[in-house]
Amino acid sequence: MSGKTEVILLKRLRKSLNPIERKEEVMEPAGKCDLRSLLEIAKKHAVLPLLFDAYEGEKGIPAEFGQVLSRSATTTVRSNYRLLFLTKYVTHVLQEEGIRAVLLKGAATASYYPSPELRKSGDVDILIPRQETFLRAVEILKKEGFAERKEQDALHHIELINDEGICVEVHSILAEPFESKKMNRFLETLLPDYEQHVTENDSWGISFYQPEDAYHAFYLVIHMLQHFLRAGFGLKYLCDWVVFWNREVDEKEKQTFLRLIRESGTEGFVSVLTETCVKYLGLKRKNVAFLLKEFDGRELTEDFIKDIFASGEFGHDKRQRMVAMRGTGISAYIREFHHQMHLNYPKAGSVFLLWPVLWGMTLFRFLHNNHVVRGISGRDIIKEAGKRSRLTDKMKLFS
C-alpha cells in the first residue's frame, strides 16, 4: 500500500460502504492523519462525498474539515437529483416515441449505496442498442433542445448537451473498440441482450430501465477495463463494485455473469478487481467466492491498488500515464500503436493503403500532445506503459 493517508482513506471508505457492519469499529482520530492530503486524494478519486458518512457524528474533527465534507455532500446531492430528474425526462421522452433507453451506471448503480445521493455522477449515460433506433433517439433529443457537442471524443456514443450544460451520452455500443478483435466481436453480439435483459428500477421514487444484474455487472467491468487500459480509473469504481456485490444477487444472475467474463476473456481482470475490493474495501468474500476460483488475484492486489491510487478518477492524476497493453514485448507496442491509429482515424483506417500515412499522423499527434501540450518525454510515457502492461499481462486479458 502506498502510504498512511491512502490506508486511512480506504478504511473510511470501507466504513461508508458498510455502515452497519462497521458501526462499532474504532477508527483513527481525525487529527492523526494529514487531513488536507486525505481530502485532496479523495477529491481526485471522486469519493469525497462518501467521507461525509464515514466521519458523521465523530468527535474531534476540525471544523474546516467537517465543513469541506458537508459542502461536498450537499453539492453532490443537489447535482445528483438534477441528473436523476434529467434521466427521467430523457427516458420518458424516448419512451413516448416507442424507444426504450437503458440507463448505464449513474442512478442505477448509485441506488445500491447506503446513501445513494452521495455517489458522485457527472452526466447521464443511456444505451440504445439498435442502430436505426439510436439515430432516431439522437434526433428526438435534439428536437427537445439538446445540442450535439461539436467535438465528439468517443466512437461508441454521441454527447448531447442541454441548456444547463449537462451532458447526456447516448450509447450505440457498450464501449470503444478494444485492441482485441475477439473482444469487439463478443461485445457486438452481446448488444441484443442489453435490450432484452432489462429490469425496472423505482428505488428513487421514479422509474427507469437498467440492465439485469449479470449485464449490469458486466457493463461495470467493461467500463472499468476500458479506462484501465487507457490511463486508469479511480476508487469510485471500486466502491461501485463493492456495493453491487454486497447485496443479494440471484444465483442465476451470478452464473450468467460468470459466463460473460469467461467468454470475453476478462475473468483475470475481474478476479484481481474483486480480490482488491475484498481486501481493502469490505466486499464480502462469501458473496463473490465464485469469482475467485478460476484465477487467483491475491498476489496482484498490491500492484493493482497502487495503480488505482496513481490514476485519479480517469487516469489524469499522473501526467505520464498511458495505455496498458496486452503483453510487454515490442509486438505489444506495435499492436497498440496500430490500435490507436484506428481510434484516431476510424473511417480512414479502414483503407489499407492509407495506413502508412495514418501511422505518421498518429505518431505526430502522440509526440505533439506529450511534448508540447503535456511537457512529458516520449521515453517516460513508454516506460510507464511498459510498467502498467506487466500488470495486465499477469491478468491474462482476452485469453
Side-chain angles (χ1 to χ4, degrees), residues 54-88:
Y55 281 97
E56 186 180 18
E58 189 166 319
K59 297 179 180 179
I61 299 176
E64 184 180 355
F65 178 74
Q67 289 168 4
V68 171
L69 295 184
S70 180
R71 284 196 300 269
S72 174
T74 302
T75 301
T76 301
V77 169
R78 186 181 298 121
S79 173
N80 281 343
Y81 273 106
R82 289 172 69 192
L83 290 172
L84 178 64
F85 285 99
L86 179 61
T87 298
K88 175 59 178 177

Side-chain angles (χ1 to χ4, degrees), residues 231-266:
F233 65 88
L235 292 170
K236 182 175 77 171
Y237 296 114
L238 292 187
C239 293
D240 287 349
W241 199 242
V242 172
V243 297
F244 183 91
W245 289 109
N246 271 353
R247 347 169 352 254
E248 291 296 324
V249 177
D250 185 80
E251 188 62 32
K252 181 180 177 182
E253 294 296 317
K254 289 182 177 181
Q255 293 307 311
T256 300
F257 176 69
L258 194 58
R259 173 181 63 81
L260 292 174
I261 62 173
R262 284 175 175 168
E263 292 180 4
S264 62
T266 56

Side-chain angles (χ1 to χ4, degrees), residues 3-65:
K4 181 180 178 181
T5 304
E6 287 85 351
V7 170
I8 291 173
L9 175 57
L10 289 173
K11 287 183 177 179
R12 289 291 175 170
L13 289 175
R14 185 172 179 141
K15 181 180 179 182
S16 179
L17 301 175
N18 305 273
I20 298 177
E21 292 186 9
R22 311 189 72 81
K23 189 174 182 180
E24 305 301 326
E25 183 173 351
V26 178
M27 290 286 178
E28 78 299 327
K32 293 293 184 180
C33 74
D34 183 349
L35 295 179
R36 180 173 295 182
S37 178
L38 181 72
L39 293 174
E40 182 180 340
I41 296 172
K43 184 177 181 180
K44 287 178 179 177
H45 286 261
V47 294
L48 184 56
L50 298 178
L51 293 183
F52 179 79
D53 277 354
Y55 281 97
E56 186 180 18
E58 189 166 319
K59 297 179 180 179
I61 299 176
E64 184 180 355
F65 178 74

